[in-house]
Amino acid sequence: MQVRPISPERLADLLADRIDALASGTAGRRLRIAVDGAPAARPRELADALVEPLRLRGHPVLRVSAADFLRPASLRLEYGHRDPDAFHDTWLDDGALLREVLDPLEPGGSGRVLPSLRDAATDRATRAPYTELAPGGVLLLDGALLLGRWLPFELTVHLALTPGALARRTPPEEQWTLPAFARYESETDPSALADLTVRADDPRHPALVLP
């Protein structure tokens, strides 16, 4: 395994080129791209950084965050507000994410996507309107603990952190999630599952992991 340092700007361009090349061989198919990582790795920022490069390459883009597809608080917090196993296993509403976002983008699907389902802070439906992603479009989904759930993606990117970097960059009020990410590493091994892995210990100086 080799690790190649890369600037954030160059990383976004490289990923956009990879997605563009993938799109060129799919005859107008809508692509589902996952940017996976703990919040401390800033997957949302990388997904956001891909929007404009992909649009410049001619692709309609839809941004969705897995954080907007969490289960209701009555289910999510059944074992308390800080249970790392529940956070790992049950916080994400996989069924809603499949039904409302990923399945409609299958070949022959309607392309009609619900961009957000629930506001976790208020525990209320966002009432977001459905939007249609045009053929040849790209869904950019960011979130944590996405891999190993049998969610269908055409490309997955994992932002990896060492345990020390994860602990340093996780706010004190979220330190209780660290055992969940340790489980994710040991049980799922997201770096092995992802199509591309990026070392993100320092967000200013990412490094691409080469096979």
Side-chain angles (χ1 to χ4, degrees):
M1 182 183 71
Q2 298 179 329
V3 178
R4 186 179 79 194
I6 190 170
S7 70
E9 297 77 17
R10 177 61 187 136
L11 176 61
D13 278 338
L14 183 150
L15 291 175
D17 284 343
R18 173 77 176 262
I19 296 166
D20 185 51
L22 187 61
S24 68
T26 58
R29 179 175 176 178
R30 302 174 180 94
L31 299 182
R32 299 160 294 186
I33 312 301
V35 182
D36 171 72
R42 303 181 183 177
R44 185 186 296 261
E45 291 184 15
L46 178 55
D48 287 344
L50 289 171
V51 172
E52 190 60 23
L54 284 169
R55 286 178 176 160
L56 289 173
R57 288 162 174 78
H59 300 286
V61 178
L62 177 62
R63 275 287 287 113
V64 174
S65 290
D68 294 324
F69 285 84
L70 301 185
R71 297 183 190 280
S74 60
L75 300 175
R76 196 170 71 247
L77 307 178
E78 182 179 2
Y79 299 101
H81 287 255
R82 296 189 170 192
D83 186 287
D85 288 325
F87 176 72
H88 180 281
D89 295 337
T90 64
W91 275 39
L92 181 66
D93 193 340
D94 309 60
L97 194 58
L98 277 167
R99 181 180 67 252
E100 303 291 0
V101 180
L102 299 174
D103 284 351
L105 303 182
E106 290 280 355
S110 68
R112 189 170 178 264
V113 171
L114 185 67
S116 65
L117 175 67
R118 181 173 291 105
D119 183 328
T122 63
D123 197 37
R124 294 186 177 185
T126 62
R127 301 189 183 279
Y130 282 87
T131 185
E132 186 168 336
L133 183 62
V138 177
L139 166 75
L140 294 172
L141 174 73
D142 75 272
L145 310 171
L146 294 177
L147 304 183
R149 295 176 177 269
W150 303 102
L151 297 173
F153 300 108
E154 279 65 55
L155 185 72
T156 54
V157 180
H158 174 62
L159 302 183
L161 294 171
T162 63
L166 176 61
R168 286 193 305 273
R169 292 174 49 196
T170 298
E173 66 272 16
E174 297 176 10
Q175 290 279 318
W176 65 271
T177 64
L178 296 180
F181 289 110
R183 269 191 66 193
Y184 189 51
E185 286 294 326
S186 64
E187 296 179 11
T188 302
D189 193 3
S191 294
L193 287 182
D195 297 302
L196 291 168
T197 296
V198 177
R199 302 298 312 181
D201 291 342
D202 184 342
R204 299 164 301 176
H205 304 288
L208 190 63
V209 178
L210 305 174

